[in-house]
Amino acid sequence: MNPVVFCDFDGTITRDETFVGILRKFTPEKSRELIPRMYDLTLTLKEGVRELLESVESRHYPEMLEIMRNAPLREGFLTFLDYLNARGFPLIVVTGGLEDFVRETLGPFFKEVHSVYGLKVRTDGRFLQVRSDWESGTELVSKPRILEAAGRTMRADPPVLIGDSVTDLEAALACPVVFARDRLAGYLSERGKTFCPFDDFTEIQRSFGEMFPVDA
Ligand SMILES: [Mg+2]
């Protein structure tokens, strides 16, 4: 077996829903209007996330990075990352948010993740400008497209998804092994999709030991 871990960032690797928190802080009015509609699935992530980010003034960007530098990680993440690296199982961060945020938060541990897929921003205009290499009809960062492409290149067997919210939903429905918490667990239960619930990475690491025994 050759498991490849596709792991969400905000609210999964970070303990709190950092990305939504940042949007609420730097574009409060639009956040109040648009975020509930993305959660109840009446507004696409593609429209909502772009409109939110592009209403943030670029001068706030250093402060956003500073917040991310101080964002607490979910319990057990760094130990789990070590464990995966020791076993030769890659961890790919797939975020519906900004790649820069992942780099800031992980700091010296950034080099231990295999790769990061997410949004890129430009800050040379008055407002942030968002770019994605992985758009789909409904998503700005299409996690199913990334899982498909990277999973194939890396011969993932099986691909494993870890996530917590609406940006993980489509990918989770298509993925054979899913660890879910919070809103994602709710969405998957409603749809009858099997998943392993988790609160922290200690539990995921324990499940990995059982699913992928060392001698198998
Ligand atoms: Mg998340």
Side-chain angles (χ1 to χ4, degrees):
M1 296 190 105
N2 177 41
V4 175
V5 179
F6 294 90
C7 191
D8 173 52
F9 184 67
D10 293 284
T12 300
I13 292 177
T14 59
R15 193 188 62 199
D16 309 314
E17 185 34 273
T18 23
F19 187 52
V20 170
I22 278 191
L23 292 173
R24 289 202 168 112
K25 179 171 165 72
F26 292 101
T27 180
E29 278 169 39
K30 273 204 192 298
S31 293
R32 265 194 298 279
E33 179 194 337
L34 302 182
I35 290 173
R37 293 178 51 209
M38 290 192 281
Y39 280 146
D40 71 20
L41 310 175
T42 56
L43 174 70
T44 65
L45 290 163
K46 184 168 170 168
E47 293 171 296
V49 174
R50 181 181 292 277
E51 191 173 340
L52 285 165
L53 279 170
E54 296 195 340
S55 68
V56 175
E57 290 188 49
S58 300
R59 65 189 171 91
H60 294 307
Y61 203 58
E63 198 184 337
M64 295 164 93
L65 294 179
E66 175 69 23
I67 292 171
M68 293 311 296
R69 230 172 349 259
N70 296 307
L73 299 179
R74 183 167 300 280
E75 173 147 0
F77 175 71
L78 293 177
T79 312
F80 180 57
L81 185 57
D82 263 357
Y83 166 85
L84 291 177
N85 284 331
R87 295 199 60 187
F89 301 159
L91 182 137
I92 299 175
V93 180
V94 190
T95 175
L98 274 50
E99 291 178 358
D100 282 350
F101 287 2
V102 178
R103 200 171 293 114
E104 289 300 317
T105 302
L106 292 183
F109 302 102
F110 181 75
K111 61 182 188 309
E112 303 192 15
V113 304
H114 178 278
S115 43
V116 177
Y117 293 85
L119 296 172
K120 302 180 194 314
V121 285
R122 286 184 54 171
T123 58
D124 50 353
R126 182 172 166 207
F127 293 94
L128 298 181
Q129 272 182 294
V130 182
R131 204 192 85 215
S132 171
D133 298 326
W134 296 93
E135 289 193 34
S136 71
T138 54
E139 297 191 291
L140 213 46
V141 178
S142 169
K143 294 193 183 187
R145 277 189 62 201
I146 294 164
L147 259 70
E148 223 274 314
R152 190 169 358 93
T153 313
M154 299 180 70
R155 300 177 193 281
D157 176 31
V160 176
L161 183 107
I162 306 175
D164 76 313
S165 192
V166 60
T167 62
D168 306 301
L169 175 57
E170 288 189 33
L173 291 171
C175 196
V177 181
V178 178
F179 291 88
R181 56 177 296 279
D182 203 57
R183 286 175 193 274
L184 180 63
Y187 294 129
L188 294 178
S189 299
E190 283 164 21
R191 286 159 179 79
K193 163 81 182 176
T194 308
F195 64 94
C196 311
F198 77 98
D199 273 318
D200 62 47
F201 284 92
T202 323
E203 296 161 284
I204 299 180
Q205 187 169 325
R206 200 178 310 124
S207 301
F208 254 69
E210 290 160 15
M211 284 180 194
F212 311 109
V214 175
D215 295 319

